[in-house]
Amino acid sequence: MLLYQEWARYGVFYKFQPIDLIRKYFGEKIGLYFAWLGLYTEFLIPSSVVGIFVFLYGCITIESDIPSKEMCDQRNAFTMCPLCDKFCDYWNLSSACATARASHLFDNPATVFFSIFMALWATMFLEQWKRLQMRLSYFWDLTGLEEEEYNTSIILKLTNLYISLQIMLTFSAVFGVIVYRITTAAALSFSTNETTRSNIRVTVTATAVIINLIVILILDEIYGAVAKWLTEIEVPKTEKAFEERLILKAFLLKFVNSYAPIFYVAFFKGRFVGRPGHYVYVFDGYRMEECAPGGCLMELCIQLSIIMLGKQLIQNNLFEIGIPKLKKLFRKLKDGRTEPKEMNTNQSKDPQQWDLDYSLEPFTGLTPEYMEMIIQFGFVTLFVASFPLAPLFALLNNIIEVRLDAKKFVTELRRPDTVRAKDIGIWYNILSGIGKLSVIINAFVIAVTSDFIPRLMYQYAYSQNGTMHGFVNHTLSYFNVSHLKAGTQPENSPFAQDILFCRFKDYREPPWSPNQYEFSKQYWAVLSARLAFVILFQNLVMFLSVLVDWMIPDIPKDISEQIKKEKSVLVDFFLKEEHEKLKLIESFITRDKHKHKSGTKDQRSRAASFCQFNQSQKGSVASFSSQHTEV
Amino acid sequence: MLLYQEWARYGVFYKFQPIDLIRKYFGEKIGLYFAWLGLYTEFLIPSSVVGIFVFLYGCITIESDIPSKEMCDQRNAFTMCPLCDKFCDYWNLSSACATARASHLFDNPATVFFSIFMALWATMFLEQWKRLQMRLSYFWDLTGLEEEEYNTSIILKLTNLYISLQIMLTFSAVFGVIVYRITTAAALSFSTNETTRSNIRVTVTATAVIINLIVILILDEIYGAVAKWLTEIEVPKTEKAFEERLILKAFLLKFVNSYAPIFYVAFFKGRFVGRPGHYVYVFDGYRMEECAPGGCLMELCIQLSIIMLGKQLIQNNLFEIGIPKLKKLFRKLKDGRTEPKEMNTNQSKDPQQWDLDYSLEPFTGLTPEYMEMIIQFGFVTLFVASFPLAPLFALLNNIIEVRLDAKKFVTELRRPDTVRAKDIGIWYNILSGIGKLSVIINAFVIAVTSDFIPRLMYQYAYSQNGTMHGFVNHTLSYFNVSHLKAGTQPENSPFAQDILFCRFKDYREPPWSPNQYEFSKQYWAVLSARLAFVILFQNLVMFLSVLVDWMIPDIPKDISEQIKKEKSVLVDFFLKEEHEKLKLIESFITRDKHKHKSGTKDQRSRAASFCQFNQSQKGSVASFSSQHTEV
């Protein structure tokens, strides 16, 4: 089969997809999906390249980055306050050297540039998709298409209920993981084993992220099952508006499911810990969790990469290849057991095509495919400021994904009923919404989560000599250890006697100030700078996006010209034909009038052939005229 | 004439405009303009009402406003630092009582609500206009319309040059007025006359605003003349794209011309004055100007109302009524002098209609009319936070304006060539751009220009008892008068000996602090709150706008249904007609085949009448099919 040869093999990953062939075999709706997927994958190439450069920039400048150097310098003995009550000891900041260096890979000035780039990239992608869609709908004659409408209000209410329940479930799962982290960290800190204690953070983070991932995967599967059931109970055609509302809600659900832990790490974790001597306690004596000493950005980055990669690897590749194969195997076994007699009757013949087709999985709609890609689009755009390699991973996944989906459609699913569709519907709105959201989220990630603004502020406002030397010292506040509440002091500290002050990461007044431990002036100044950056970034990117949107016309010029030309050709043709027909009729009438007995053979055959021609053209003209409406 | 009766008289101001009549007489382009103007005026009604309520809220709460009460209280003797070097004395804050009370009329919490309301109002207006435009273009059969294209690149370059020059001129005019204010204020302060000195501020502000207004009016006229000349040199039809670029540039020019002084007062004035003892000097010893003690918002409000009202009164009413009448008079006189002979020849006859029409002014395009309204739209939306009565003034102006324009078109201008247009073109984009800009500008006016945020901050963070008592004291910093630079102390102060500290409006460290006169922690905390408000306000309003945009469908439901119905009727009709024609032709052929000698009289007449019918329908079907493209 041609489609298999040209499209559904991994060997052809470098080739463009044969979209027209796909459309002919599967119909417009699936054709549009693969066209969209292809464009998206193409667009991922430049962003991957830029992302790699940003990452490389981080790698190259890591040696010249003064703050991480200062942190790693053993001579700078910053004695940090204990990370938990009673069982944790004071610790030296240089022990967090590795994470600080790793942080720099993702948290450098190039990241700011990259997030602006990605915001414009998203706008550009949507514009180009509009153009491609216009082009396809022109060449595939989809412009006049309209959908029928049904009414399904009861099912809608049912869905609403279900979706609200699911969102609650998702939030409680995220909350549960946070509780797990806090309690486990506390429990492990009781341990007397030295190695366990030192690995607490790694253990807790890793297990928590993995639990998050598993929760996401399980909830996704539950969602998938219910969505399928919902689609089945109103067989087989759904009202378009209803389907769109269903998709929107399902998307919200998936969105919360996939991003809630990431949002938590990016914007909430470590912001409500209080301060030494006045920590915030939850659940009867557990301290709120702090970020790793390298900053929350590193943790965000780990969280993002594990969830994104894990989701892609497990869900797409394992589930999408593995499960259908297993099901096929299972079905074969079952068929083999229950129908052994029938098998005997046509044993000699080769199995018929329909028998083979029956052993394939039924087609259950494109929603899961789109959903998966849109969630990935979210990973690529929403938090790109903290993980510039996301586009690369997405690209690698998609190169496999396109052929995987293709293979699935060609070889593992029953051929679906061809469905006509003139656009990708609500998915476009969701994409555009994600694009808009990504601007403000990236602005906040750069301003609030990363250390970009404090560094700039230090260099240009507080530094003595305009360099970054002394930055680490500047970000650490002093705490008088005698102010620690009774019972929270480190129990088994070997050097507790020698320590008068410990340091913690915050801008607060020192113990010797009249307003001790209040937020310092620097805190408010840095906060102002952060917020000013958000305003500046958001408005700049929005302005540039409007500019890009405005400069790229929605309808490609060649298409709009062709439409114009065809319209005039159509009108000409139409008038000419009418004219000819009239002439023919008139000639008959004239002949009748002059009482000529019969037409010449020539005339008669001309009339007959014209009728035939007319018959065949009629349909095409009608479709033509309806095709050009709603351009 | 019906149009004059029904439309162009002031007596019918409460009626809807007869848009269809206007379109029939003047063509679609002018019809669309009046439809747009009508919708805009209608939309101004609710916003005026809400604006009046906001103003009334200010009037009612003025007595209970603690900060202005505190300012007016004679017992609170806040000795303020002199407003100019050497010649100005220390002054008591209670002397600024009146402006503080007036400020409250415009600077109260209801204003925040009102600016959110107006941002949504602008979105709603644009959405409704899209719908009305769709409806009109459906009923007026404009959907298939397309414009021809020309190429006029040389003129474009010329225009660019000219526009840049004009913008430079405008900026230099604004700059000139600022210089005038600074120098005059300084010069007047030398005056020995006591009354002159006390009225300095009033004098300077009033004259400066009037100069601004005159400059705006003059530049507007210059622009108008050159724009006319530019339109004339490429007679008579301009390429649509070129015209749009011209309009866009002209709009930018007008925008800068009208709003530059307002932007200056709103965001720059009083922000770069420095502080007592360390003032910022420009032009060899002149101090930068400060805002009035009541705050810059009051000054912004005065500026806005004078420019808006003055512009409307002088430009619209005086120029639009006065100048054409004068011109007509002048033309009559000239005609009367140069062509007295001709007059004699047909003296006896009544003057012909074309003679009368010749005495009318030629029509010079709709651009000035749109421009005027769009600049007004800017006044209504951009700075509505500082002047809630703007919609009311706009409404009053427009009620007159609609009829004035109508009268002008009907009685004072030659009837223009009817021009077809399917939409209002670039004006829509400009309106939508203003709507977007208004969100961020209003956010900044509320956050930065008004005292809204400092008041909130004081009430919830600094106040001892949660009330506003002590707010005025909190916003004033201390200055040790002995730190005044030599030569800048007040010369003739009667109580200079008794004064140790004077106060000034800023958040700075007191003289007894180690970092004296640096920005205090409060300054940065308030700045953070201001910026956070901008982010919150902007994103909230944008989100609500998207929601409004999404909830109101672009095509009214009845129209989209009618289009659908008509399309199916069209296709049915088309097929039926073709079918009939074919039958006719076939019947002729069959008859020929069977060698029947002639058709019955009945048949013949049927065929003839069908041909006639066909002939008349042909045109309509063609226009029909082209009409429904590009819906």
Side-chain angles (χ1 to χ4, degrees), chain B residues 483-556:
Chain B
H483 292 153
L484 274 174
K485 280 184 189 149
T488 63
Q489 293 102 332
E491 255 184 345
N492 306 307
S493 176
F495 32 81
Q497 280 76 9
D498 312 330
I499 291 172
L500 276 177
F501 298 106
C502 67
R503 310 291 292 268
F504 61 103
K505 203 182 176 201
D506 210 339
Y507 294 99
R508 285 181 186 267
E509 300 279 352
W512 52 85
S513 141
N515 314 307
Q516 55 172 210
Y517 308 136
E518 270 185 15
F519 284 118
S520 67
K521 198 193 285 184
Q522 273 87 339
Y523 174 84
W524 294 109
V526 169
L527 184 61
S528 300
R530 288 181 198 266
L531 296 173
F533 176 83
V534 171
I535 296 173
L536 192 75
F537 183 90
Q538 194 188 2
N539 286 288
L540 177 74
V541 172
M542 283 196 317
F543 176 73
L544 289 177
S545 294
V546 169
L547 217 66
V548 167
D549 195 0
W550 184 65
M551 286 199 316
I552 304 177
D554 279 4
I555 304 174

Side-chain angles (χ1 to χ4, degrees), chain A residues 144 146-147 149 248 426 429 436 440 444 457 462 509 515 518-521 523-532 534-535 538-539 542 546 550 557 563-564 567 570-571 574-575 577-579 581-582 584-586 588-589 591-593 595-599 604 607-608 610-611 614-615 618 621-622 625-626 628-631, chain B residues 144 146-147 149 248 426 429 436 440 444 457 509 515 518-521 523-532 534-535 538-539 542 546 550 557 563-564 567 570-571 574-575 577-579 581-582 584-586 588-589 591-593 595-599 604 607-608 610-611 614-615 618-619 621-622 625-626 628-631:
Chain A
E146 263 156 60
E147 281 85 8
E149 283 172 27
L248 199 65
I426 188 83
N429 303 41
K436 278 183 191 138
I440 184 82
F444 271 103
M457 280 290 279
Y462 300 119
E509 301 277 354
N515 314 306
E518 270 185 14
F519 284 118
S520 68
K521 197 194 284 185
Y523 174 84
W524 294 109
V526 169
L527 185 61
S528 299
R530 288 179 196 266
L531 295 174
V534 171
I535 297 174
Q538 194 188 1
N539 286 287
M542 284 197 316
V546 169
W550 185 65
K557 202 157 188 192
I563 289 175
K564 217 185 271 179
K567 206 157 62 181
L570 175 74
V571 171
F574 191 73
L575 290 176
E577 197 192 335
E578 284 291 317
H579 197 70
K581 244 184 274 176
L582 273 178
L584 198 68
I585 294 174
E586 269 165 19
F588 278 120
I589 295 169
R591 219 173 35 181
D592 281 2
K593 244 184 200 156
K595 313 252 173 194
H596 285 174
K597 276 174 188 177
S598 74
R604 220 164 54 201
F610 176 73
C611 282
N614 192 44
Q615 199 98 35
K618 205 169 57 185
V621 168
S625 80
S626 75
H628 286 287
T629 52
E630 302 200 5
V631 172
Chain B
E146 262 157 61
E147 281 85 8
E149 282 172 28
L248 199 66
I426 188 84
N429 303 41
K436 277 181 192 140
I440 184 82
F444 271 104
M457 280 289 279
E509 300 279 352
N515 314 307
E518 270 185 15
F519 284 118
S520 67
K521 198 193 285 184
Y523 174 84
W524 294 109
V526 169
L527 184 61
S528 300
R530 288 181 198 266
L531 296 173
V534 171
I535 296 173
Q538 194 188 2
N539 286 288
M542 283 196 317
V546 169
W550 184 65
K557 202 160 186 191
I563 289 174
K564 217 185 272 179
K567 205 157 63 178
L570 175 74
V571 170
F574 191 74
L575 290 176
E577 196 193 336
E578 285 291 315
H579 196 68
K581 247 184 272 178
L582 275 178
L584 199 69
I585 294 173
E586 269 166 17
F588 279 119
I589 294 168
R591 220 175 33 186
D592 282 2
K593 245 185 199 156
K595 312 253 174 194
H596 284 174
K597 279 175 185 175
S598 74
R604 219 163 54 200
F610 176 72
C611 283
N614 192 44
Q615 197 99 33
K618 205 169 56 184
V621 168
S625 81
S626 75
H628 286 285
T629 52
E630 302 201 6
V631 173

Side-chain angles (χ1 to χ4, degrees), chain A residues 457-501:
Chain A
M457 280 290 279
Y458 181 76
Q459 188 159 11
Y460 294 107
Y462 300 119
S463 173
Q464 303 293 327
N465 46 10
T467 63
M468 291 298 293
H469 289 287
F471 172 73
V472 174
N473 185 30
H474 182 255
T475 58
L476 298 175
S477 299
Y478 287 92
F479 181 74
N480 187 333
V481 292
S482 66
H483 293 151
L484 273 175
K485 280 184 189 149
T488 62
Q489 293 102 332
E491 255 184 347
N492 306 306
S493 178
F495 30 82
Q497 279 77 6
D498 313 329
I499 290 171
L500 277 176
F501 298 107

Side-chain angles (χ1 to χ4, degrees), chain B residues 256-272:
Chain B
V256 171
N257 191 13
S258 300
Y259 299 121
I262 296 168
F263 271 93
Y264 167 72
V265 171
F267 300 122
F268 300 104
K269 193 179 174 190
R271 303 203 181 272
F272 308 104

